[in-house]
């Protein structure tokens, strides 16, 4: 028919190209879902595009928590520094982030990504526990970007 899907407010770099249509058709008609980490990151990007900055940060931190948990349960050990294995991750995202740092070179998990992730975790805690509601768009964007990069790194080093 003449059905249409219209996307508004999305980053042009994230649009679907004609060459993506086949894969998209298979995905939409199939019964699979994207990994939860990527679904949460997608939600965070959407929330940010709608200027729901605090919710975007909370969603992206949740994605990081899921990615850390998945990585902790099944790291690709042959790609990591064995001196720091096995991993024993707990329930606190900030402590878990500190525990994984020695496993990666600074070229992979850069100091800037780590710093921004730690700052985002602090901001998220202020939002959730102290009701901070004044995160600017200029502050939120780099947080979401760093959290997304960290999640991608973790997922790339997580086994099937």
């Amino acid at each position: 028919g003449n059905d249409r899907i219209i996307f508004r407010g999305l980053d042009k770099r994230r649009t679907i190209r004609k060459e993506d249509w086949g894969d998209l058709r298979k995905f939409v008609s199939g019964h699979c879902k994207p990994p939860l980490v990527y679904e949460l990151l997608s939600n965070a990007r959407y929330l940010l595009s709608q200027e729901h900055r605090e919710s975007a940060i909370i969603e992206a931190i949740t994605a990081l928590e899921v990615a850390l948990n998945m990585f902790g349960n099944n790291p690709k050990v042959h790609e990591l520094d064995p001196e720091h294995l096995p991993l024993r991750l707990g329930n606190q995202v900030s402590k878990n982030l500190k525990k994984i740092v020695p496993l990666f070179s600074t070229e992979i998990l850069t100091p800037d990504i780590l710093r921004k992730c730690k700052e985002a975790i602090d901001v998220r805690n202020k939002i959730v526990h102290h009701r901070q509601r004044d995160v600017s768009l200029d502050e939120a964007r780099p947080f979401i970007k760093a959290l997304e990069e960290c999640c991608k790194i973790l997922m790339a080093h997580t086994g099937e």
Side-chain angles (χ1 to χ4, degrees), residues 86-101:
L87 279 173
R88 298 209 194 319
L89 299 182
N91 293 325
Q92 289 189 319
V93 67
S94 57
K95 286 183 181 178
N96 289 342
L97 191 59
K98 287 178 189 171
K99 287 180 183 179
I100 64 137
V101 170

Side-chain angles (χ1 to χ4, degrees), residues 65-131:
E65 288 180 288
V66 172
L68 282 163
N69 187 36
M70 291 175 71
F71 175 78
N73 288 332
N74 194 13
K76 290 182 182 175
V77 291
H78 63 279
E79 297 176 3
L80 303 169
D81 182 351
E83 182 181 325
H84 300 285
L85 292 170
L87 279 173
R88 298 209 194 319
L89 299 182
N91 293 325
Q92 289 189 319
V93 67
S94 57
K95 286 183 181 178
N96 289 342
L97 191 59
K98 287 178 189 171
K99 287 180 183 179
I100 64 137
V101 170
L103 296 170
F104 295 95
S105 71
T106 56
E107 289 82 36
I108 294 174
L109 193 55
T110 68
D112 188 54
I113 290 173
L114 281 171
R115 183 177 48 78
K116 283 292 180 197
C117 287
K118 289 174 186 174
E119 288 174 12
I121 292 166
D122 290 341
V123 168
R124 177 252 177 225
N125 289 342
K126 289 176 186 171
I127 292 167
V128 171
H129 301 293
H130 304 289
R131 299 186 183 125

